[in-house]
């Protein structure tokens, strides 16, 4: 079959070969399972960088996680399906090209980046590491695709924070502009809020360039803040669990609020809590990726979807958690360690993934059915000292403790 028939073949949803970069991480692992369960041939690439950040910060996932080897062995024992593994660093260009040549994927799903905004704002070393790891890694992926097979569909995890909080409705990646009587379709202007979010903007520009110049096909998924820990497949065996971060560097806002509620700690709303964000359940994340893989972008197309299911202010998130929690939960406005607008317009277009068939889960359901019980089970593993924010945006040399 000629490689350009790939689009038609992928819509069938069977026997597609998918390489999941960052497949040992919070989202990459459940996505690898979801794609494998859907009948795709899946392989995972990771260098375990995320596990090393745990050692550096002196923290660990609330839910215990197994090694990648045990995870894949367990999956094979339960389902008979194999997930191949490639251990290596995306910053090693030869490794990326050789792995791509060896596995010959139809699609590459790219999660493998340093993904914490506070981590990128610790000091110069951490900012440089973040941008080097993310931008160089993604460039190596683009070169590998161009050299091995330009028909490979790149599905790249971007972030809603690339846009910042403009005083305009946020479109899906592109904006039709009329200026002095002329019109053009331009990339939506970006004004991100950390060196991490900036690394994603740099990636997006590099990917769009590669699509335009080499005819690559890519889907950039500008995802909102993810919450939740379980998917139908990770629940099948404790050895399939994915990580769950709660510390002030890697823990994301809703996951932190749930843990704070269960522990009887105040929910730490930064500033007034008026800052609004897109949010998405982890079960919807994995399905969005499957939908993007199943419906690939066209050759030369840089396609952008805004990957979120609800938009809420941080204050509303805290209220939702406090209301759903069966006990008492206190909400506390603490000084905001970040520099970000907390009173602003926010209206995002997110119709692309729904038009492909996404049926969203809602925060109010997930909290009660899944999140509180998970946290209750593992509450003794929480190190309360790790809850307080330590990284301040205005400082160029933060101490971690
Ligand atoms: P994570 O840190 O849990 O997973 C990332 C994985 O990539 C880790 O296993 C890490 O070891 C691996 N990795 C990082 N750099 C690598 C390199 N150079 N070579 C090989 N492997 C490398 O992060 P996550 O929460 O699963 O996020 C995955 C992606 O989704 C990231 O790109 C992130 O920016 C994006 N995203 C996450 C969220 C969220 O709320 N978690 C929201 C929006 C977007
Ligand atoms: N916040 C609080 N209290 C807390 C923690 C956070 O009020 O205890 C606030 C932050 O100030 C921010 C918002 O909640 O306004 C979101 O913070 P976050 O840490 O949950 O999310 P963020 O730093 O933006 O990063 C996370 C992921 C990142 C992903 C991003 C999606 O770590 O990988 O890219 O969410 S988005 O925010 O849409 O860019």
């Amino acid at each position: 079959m000629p490689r350009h028939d790939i689009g038609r073949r992928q819509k069938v949803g069977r026997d597609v070969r998918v390489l999941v970069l960052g497949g040992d991480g919070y989202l990459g692992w459940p996505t690898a399972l979801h794609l494998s369960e859907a009948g795709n041939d899946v392989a995972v690439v990771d260098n375990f960088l995320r596990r090393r950040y745990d050692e550096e910060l002196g923290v660990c996932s609330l839910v215990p996680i197994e090694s990648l080897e045990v995870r894949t062995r367990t999956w094979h024992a339960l389902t008979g399906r194999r997930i191949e593994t490639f251990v290596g660093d995306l910053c090693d260009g030869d490794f990326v090209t050789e792995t791509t040549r060896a596995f010959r994927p139809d699609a590459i799903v790219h999660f493998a980046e340093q993904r914490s905004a506070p981590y990128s704002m610790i000091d110069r070393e951490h900012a440089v590491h973040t941008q080097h790891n993310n931008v160089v890694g993604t460039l190596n992926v683009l070169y590998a695709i161009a050299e091995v097979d330009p028909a490979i569909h790149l599905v790249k995890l971007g972030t809603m924070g690339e846009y910042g909080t403009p005083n305009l409705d946020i479109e899906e990646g592109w904006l039709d502009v009329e200026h002095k009587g002329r019109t053009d379709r331009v990339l939506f202007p970006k004004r991100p809020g950390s060196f991490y979010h900036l690394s994603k903007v740099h990636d997006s520009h590099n990917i769009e360039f590669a699509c335009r110049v080499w005819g690559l096909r890519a889907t950039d998924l500008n995802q909102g803040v993810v919450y939740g820990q379980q998917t139908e497949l990770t629940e099948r065996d404790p050895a399939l669990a994915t990580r769950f971060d709660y510390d002030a560097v890697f823990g994301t806002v809703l996951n932190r609020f749930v843990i704070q509620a269960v522990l009887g700690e105040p929910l730490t709303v930064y500033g007034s809590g008026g800052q609004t964000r897109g949010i998405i359940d982890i079960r919807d994340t994995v399905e969005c990726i499957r939908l993007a893989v199943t419906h690939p972008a066209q050759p030369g197309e840089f396609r952008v979807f805004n990957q979120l299911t609800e938009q809420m202010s941080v204050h509303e998130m805290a209220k939702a958690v406090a209301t759903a929690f069966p006990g008492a939960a206190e909400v506390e406005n603490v000084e905001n360690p970040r520099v970000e607008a907390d009173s602003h317009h926010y209206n995002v277009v997110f119709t692309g993934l729904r038009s492909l068939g996404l049926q969203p889960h809602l925060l109010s359901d997930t909290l009660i059915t899944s999140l509180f019980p998970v946290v209750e089970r593992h509450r003794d593993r929480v190190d309360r000292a790790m809850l307080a924010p330590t990284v301040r945006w205005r400082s160029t040399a933060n101490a971690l403790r």
Side-chain angles (χ1 to χ4, degrees):
M1 179 186 286
R3 300 296 291 181
H4 282 91
D5 280 351
I6 196 171
R8 205 146 40 84
R9 185 151 59 96
Q10 285 186 320
K11 280 196 176 130
V12 176
R14 313 299 292 184
D15 301 315
V16 173
R17 295 176 69 76
V18 190
L19 191 59
V20 179
L21 312 179
D24 187 51
Y26 170 51
L27 303 176
W29 173 244
T31 301
L33 296 183
H34 193 66
L35 292 170
S36 174
E37 176 78 1
N40 303 292
D41 288 328
V42 176
V44 153
V45 175
D46 212 293
N47 67 347
F48 309 125
L49 187 59
R50 178 67 192 88
R51 293 179 188 250
R52 293 202 294 276
Y53 297 145
D54 278 347
E55 286 163 26
E56 177 192 358
L57 300 171
V59 70
C60 62
S61 162
L62 175 82
V63 178
I65 50 169
E66 287 294 349
S67 65
L68 184 57
E69 197 191 329
V70 171
R71 286 170 153 183
T72 51
R73 216 186 309 129
T74 306
W75 180 244
H76 181 243
L78 283 174
T79 64
R81 301 198 68 86
R82 285 197 191 282
I83 294 180
E84 210 176 322
T85 56
F86 295 87
V87 175
D89 187 344
L90 295 193
C91 292
D92 175 350
D94 292 340
F95 164 75
V96 181
T97 304
E98 281 158 24
T99 302
T100 307
R101 193 164 279 133
F103 187 68
R104 284 306 291 249
D106 299 309
I108 294 182
V109 180
H110 180 12
F111 291 98
E113 300 206 326
Q114 189 301 96
R115 71 107 174 119
S116 158
Y119 189 88
S120 76
M121 299 300 290
I122 293 170
D123 57 16
R124 183 190 58 181
E125 191 191 340
H126 289 83
V128 170
H129 162 76
T130 300
Q131 295 216 347
H132 181 265
N133 186 64
N134 296 0
V135 178
V136 172
T138 298
L139 260 180
N140 285 333
V141 172
L142 293 171
Y143 267 91
I145 293 175
E147 284 168 16
V148 174
D149 181 359
I152 296 169
H153 177 211
L154 174 64
V155 177
K156 165 69 167 53
L157 271 293
T159 182
M160 281 305 297
E162 290 183 40
Y163 301 111
T165 51
N167 197 30
L168 299 172
D169 287 4
I170 298 175
E171 303 295 332
E172 299 205 85
W174 294 90
L175 185 66
D176 294 319
V177 177
E178 193 184 328
H179 183 63
K180 295 186 179 173
R182 303 186 67 80
T183 57
D184 205 349
R185 182 171 180 256
V186 298
L187 287 175
F188 197 95
K190 308 279 177 81
R191 200 190 291 146
S194 74
F195 284 122
Y196 152 71
H197 288 98
L198 272 155
S199 74
K200 296 289 203 186
V201 176
H202 305 326
D203 285 342
S204 294
H205 282 275
N206 287 344
I207 299 168
E208 188 274 336
F209 179 78
C211 292
R212 187 157 37 93
V213 172
W214 295 331
L216 303 197
R217 52 168 91 201
T219 302
D220 202 8
L221 296 170
N222 285 337
Q223 182 169 241
V225 185
V226 181
Y227 61 89
Q229 192 267 336
Q230 290 174 317
T231 67
E232 190 202 323
L233 301 178
T234 63
E235 275 182 86
R236 284 198 192 167
D237 190 295
L240 299 179
T242 195
R243 56 179 310 123
F244 190 70
D245 299 308
Y246 64 90
D247 60 285
V249 176
F250 273 92
T252 47
V253 62
L254 275 159
N255 290 348
R256 278 167 59 72
F257 286 169
V258 169
I259 285 175
Q260 289 165 335
V262 171
L263 293 181
E265 297 274 348
L267 278 52
T268 51
V269 170
Y270 296 167
S272 74
Q275 58 276 45
T276 300
R277 297 289 181 267
I279 58 172
I280 181 167
D281 186 305
I282 189 167
R283 293 171 295 179
D284 293 335
T285 293
V286 301
E287 178 59 4
C288 287
I289 305 292
R290 192 192 66 77
L291 288 168
V293 167
T294 310
H295 302 277
Q298 295 303 309
E301 184 187 8
F302 175 69
R303 178 176 67 169
V304 183
F305 291 136
N306 292 337
Q307 186 165 311
L308 60 147
T309 54
E310 295 173 87
Q311 47 190 27
M312 251 182 222
S313 73
V314 167
H315 176 73
E316 287 166 339
M317 294 181 210
K319 225 172 106 190
V321 172
T323 307
F325 185 60
E330 184 197 339
V331 176
E332 187 181 7
N333 291 90
V334 301
E335 188 192 338
N336 196 338
R338 307 186 182 195
V339 177
E340 58 187 358
D342 61 4
S343 171
H344 57 86
H345 174 76
Y346 201 74
N347 190 32
V348 182
V349 174
F350 51 102
T351 49
L353 286 158
R354 279 186 193 229
S355 70
L356 295 183
L358 179 69
Q359 306 273 340
H361 293 85
L362 293 181
L363 174 65
S364 45
D365 299 334
T366 309
L367 282 169
I368 297 159
T369 54
S370 149
L371 260 177
F372 290 130
V374 167
V375 174
E376 272 297 351
R377 260 200 308 284
H378 301 286
R379 57 180 295 159
D380 293 344
R381 288 170 55 89
V382 175
D383 178 351
R384 289 175 196 245
M386 304 309 291
L387 288 169
T390 47
V391 181
R392 296 186 192 281
W393 262 224
R394 290 189 198 281
S395 166
T396 56
N398 285 283
L400 281 178
R401 285 189 185 253

